[in-house]
Amino acid sequence: MQGIPLSASIDRMIARALDYKKNPWRDVQAGARKRIGLIFLNPSLRTRLSTQVAAQQLGMEAIVFNIGSEGWSWELEDGAVMNGTSVEHIRDAVPVLSSYFDVLAIRTFPGLSDREADYAETVLQQFIAYASVPVISLESATLHPLQSLADLITIQELELKRPKIVLCWAPHIKPLPQCVANSFAQWVGAWDRADFVIAQPPGMELSETFTTGAQLVYDKAAALRDADVVYVKNWSAYRSYGAMGTDQDGWMLQPEDMEKTNRAKIMHCLPVRRNIELSDALLDSSSSIVTRQAANRVWAAQAVLSNIIQSL
Ligand code: CP
């Protein structure tokens, strides 16, 4: 992709994904006799199953390992004297995994206590360093790229000419990672096909690394005016790292919030806490496209996987 503007690369990935949506089995021979290992340190429904389905449609075998609940716990620190609870060093485990699979994929959540370690992507980077096969992120400490590709596929399907997209912070009962929001902001910015607003209470701003080109707004009603797409998501604070935000009142999206929008469609990556992040009335309304968004995870994964298979 060298020399090609990122927005064109994203357009090509979206086109490829939508092509697979029309003809899922088009490349069923592409991954024959290839195997992908999906390594989960944390729970998943959509990412796990959509990637398995995508691999199957490419003729590839996908094996899931929920290492967080079934495997030996990993030591990450170089030079560690392993006399505690960690049983296996990541530098021993990943070469073994590389010998079993043609492609590896990993999900690893942030701890949300040490911003430097989380934003250095300590686990993902070590995994990549010790792997001898291509590695796909199934969501890491700071980013969730397969989600973002599915999100842009879903927006592209709306066939809107330069839509106004609002990423709208929502309340939650516990601190969540910033990765979905970071990634969405990064991809929308790079795509450059939309006017992009991020609405959040003061103190909940994302890292500026990911929000280039976005307009930051602290008044939800003002942000939502004339919106075509409202992407609802909670995230914990970047600055006061991992804090939940004390001023959550009024941030749950309600039907009346939608009145000044341009009949906006509502997105959420799921899982969603009903009547905390988003009201039943909106989730169950015709404005909600969250199920289609989750369904598009398959085509996003298939587009990415097929690109990787080509390079094997
Ligand atoms: N959106 C998403 O990543 O869902 P899962 O956590 O269920 O994979």
Side-chain angles (χ1 to χ4, degrees), residues 32-48:
R33 300 188 184 188
K34 300 272 188 274
R35 213 176 281 126
I36 181 169
L38 307 178
I39 312 300
F40 284 86
L41 277 73
N42 306 96
S44 169
L45 185 155
R46 282 142 289 270
T47 307
R48 169 181 166 161

Side-chain angles (χ1 to χ4, degrees), residues 16 46 61 66 73 100 109 125 128 145 165 198 200 207 223 229 235 261 268 280 289 304 307:
R16 194 180 186 110
R46 282 142 289 270
E61 186 178 5
N66 294 306
S73 57
Y100 298 156
F109 286 173
Q125 289 307 326
I128 291 168
I165 301 174
I198 306 177
Q200 71 266 285
S207 163
V229 175
W235 60 87
T261 70
H268 188 288
D280 280 341
I289 54 172
V304 169
N307 250 356

Side-chain angles (χ1 to χ4, degrees), residues 27 31 49 64 94 99 102 117 160 172 186 200 227 252 289 300 308:
D27 286 335
L49 295 174
V64 173
V94 178
S99 74
D102 303 284
L160 301 167
H172 209 277
Q186 184 189 48
Q200 71 266 285
M252 183 175 79
I289 54 172
I308 290 172

